[in-house]
DNA sequence: AACCAGGACACAA
DNA sequence: TTGTGTCATGGT
């Protein structure tokens, strides 16, 4: 039998917590002096990297921590993933620059809604919009006395009932009707997010793209960051720039050709390669 | 102060 | 199939 605890320690090799939580796949983590503060589902949690381990702190005692190890993917053998990468220079440099970068396994609705808000927005702005959304329409969660209040990510049913004007007040602009309509489609069961995990990559993508405000890029983000399809390869402006400048520096390539290249070049874990290139481009190359 | 940001969509050719 | 204008908002 197991005892409920406020803290847990997970031994991990090659886990760069800062790169993982700060690389633009999730938008609610805040790095402070005492660690990374965030919310997983309805559980506020603080994370710390300490000598080959991740330490987790919860306000309420937890009987089991599977919800967190699943989210963080601490059980993943990163070396096995990296071993499937093609041995090219740019990807090698990207991996060397941020080894330990991981992909999270996020809750599908939060991930979907967040990325609907992400289009042509800088990551700092996405974070601000998501924070406002949670603050205004999420549920208040219990936290330690004295610490600032924490909110859950609002459910699809909740957001479906929010007026477009109130959504726009969260600074999301033209994305407001997209979020509202997608929330309604999910809340009504018109699209079953839970059923997507049992589908093929192509099948799940086709289902997501039906939602208003969800095109191929956002669909691939959700497929990669929430459902764990390792071959999903989101192509955004940073990835286009990375492919153009790092792989084809001589001749100008169209976006379509770069996309075609990515579909065959990076292998079964292309999504991981994508995240390394994305983070490498944003932090090292500029 | 222009330029651009983890795009999608309607419409053109 | 591939190219262009439009849609808010604010960081750099």
């Amino acid at each position: 039998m197991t005892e409920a605890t406020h803290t847990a320690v997970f031994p991990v090799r090659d886990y760069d917590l800062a790169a993982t939580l700060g690389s633009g796949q999730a938008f609610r983590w805040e790095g402070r002096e005492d660690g990374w503060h965030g919310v997983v589902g309805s559980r506020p949690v603080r994370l710390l990297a300490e000598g080959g381990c991740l330490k987790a702190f919860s306000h309420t005692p937890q009987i089991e921590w599977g919800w967190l190890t699943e989210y963080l993917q601490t059980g993943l053998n990163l070396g096995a993933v990296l071993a499937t990468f093609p041995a090219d220079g740019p990807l090698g440099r990207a991996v060397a620059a941020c080894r330990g970068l991981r992909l999270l396994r996020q809750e599908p609705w939060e991930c979907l809604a967040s990325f609907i808000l992400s289009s042509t927005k800088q990551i700092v702005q996405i974070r601000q919009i998501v924070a406002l959304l949670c603050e205004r329409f999420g549920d208040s969660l219990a936290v330690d006395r004295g610490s600032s209040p924490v909110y859950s990510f609002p459910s699809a049913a909740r957001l479906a009932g929010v007026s477009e004007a109130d959504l726009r007040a969260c600074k999301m602009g033209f994305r407001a009707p997209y979020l509202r309509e997608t929330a309604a489609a999910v809340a009504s069961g018109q699209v079953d997010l839970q059923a997507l995990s049992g589908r093929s990559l192509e099948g799940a993508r086709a289902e997501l793209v039906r939602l208003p405000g969800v095109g191929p890029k956002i669909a691939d983000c959700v497929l990669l960051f929430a459902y764990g399809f390792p071959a999903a390869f989101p192509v955004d402006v940073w990835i286009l720039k990375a492919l153009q400048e790092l792989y084809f520096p001589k001749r100008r390539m169209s976006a379509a050709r770069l996309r075609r290249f990515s579909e065959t070049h990076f292998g079964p874990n292309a999504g991981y390669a994508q995240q390394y290139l994305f983070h490498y481009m944003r932090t090292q190359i500029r």
Side-chain angles (χ1 to χ4, degrees):
Chain A
M1 76 178 227
T2 50
E3 200 88 8
T5 56
H6 288 271
T7 74
V9 178
F10 314 114
V12 280
R13 280 195 301 168
D14 270 348
Y15 206 115
D16 186 335
L17 196 58
T20 300
L21 301 180
S23 63
Q25 42 179 325
F27 303 103
R28 300 195 64 197
W29 291 99
E30 197 182 330
R32 302 185 200 160
E33 298 294 329
D34 62 346
W36 290 87
H37 293 247
V39 179
V40 176
S42 58
R43 300 177 176 94
V45 63
R46 176 166 62 95
L47 298 175
L48 215 51
E50 211 174 75
C53 288
L54 298 183
K55 292 182 74 171
F57 304 83
S58 167
H59 165 65
T60 52
Q62 303 292 319
I63 294 174
E64 60 89 28
W65 294 79
W67 53 275
L68 185 57
T69 55
E70 168 74 5
Y71 179 89
L72 294 172
Q73 293 284 292
T74 51
L76 179 91
N77 182 346
L78 184 61
V81 170
L82 301 182
T84 68
F85 283 3
D88 67 61
L91 189 52
R93 291 193 291 278
V95 171
C98 42
R99 193 183 181 91
L101 172 62
R102 303 286 190 124
L103 292 181
L104 299 169
R105 185 69 59 88
Q106 302 180 53
E107 195 282 315
W109 166 245
E110 175 173 346
C111 186
L112 171 61
S114 297
F115 276 97
I116 285 176
L117 302 175
S118 76
S119 69
T120 51
K121 276 294 181 190
Q122 298 182 156
I123 289 174
V124 283
Q125 289 182 304
I126 302 167
R127 298 171 58 83
Q128 186 192 1
I129 295 170
V130 169
L132 282 171
L133 200 62
C134 294
E135 200 172 299
R136 293 181 184 180
F137 307 115
D139 297 322
S140 180
L141 302 174
V143 290
D144 299 324
R145 280 165 47 91
S147 59
S148 50
V150 173
Y151 301 89
S152 67
F153 191 92
S155 69
R158 176 74 178 97
L159 290 182
V162 175
S163 74
E164 183 180 323
D166 287 345
L167 289 180
R168 281 181 184 264
C170 296
K171 306 176 186 296
M172 65 183 72
F174 62 83
R175 304 156 193 83
Y178 291 154
L179 178 61
R180 203 171 117 80
E181 289 167 27
T182 289
V186 170
S188 72
Q190 182 184 336
V191 167
D192 184 356
L193 291 186
Q194 191 157 356
L196 294 188
S197 49
R199 295 194 151 205
S200 67
L201 173 59
E202 294 75 17
R205 181 185 290 133
E207 193 69 7
L208 284 174
V209 164
R210 289 175 44 201
L211 294 163
V214 181
K217 189 273 174 180
I218 290 175
D220 276 357
C221 284
V222 177
L223 293 169
L224 184 61
F225 302 143
Y227 291 96
F229 286 97
F233 192 95
V235 177
D236 72 337
V237 292
W238 287 99
I239 291 300
L240 285 177
K241 196 161 116 171
L243 295 177
Q244 174 67 70
E245 293 179 11
L246 303 180
Y247 286 88
F248 303 98
K250 312 299 283 182
R251 59 199 173 98
R252 165 74 191 173
M253 301 278 280
S254 73
R257 286 189 65 86
L258 291 172
R259 174 182 274 281
R260 300 306 259 311
F261 169 75
S262 74
E263 286 170 359
T264 57
H265 181 70
F266 293 105
N269 293 300
Y272 273 88
Q274 175 276 155
Q275 195 64 11
Y276 276 92
L277 289 173
F278 177 78
H279 196 246
Y280 177 58
M281 204 65 188
R282 279 181 22 92
T283 59
Q284 315 284 317
I285 306 295
R286 170 87 190 103

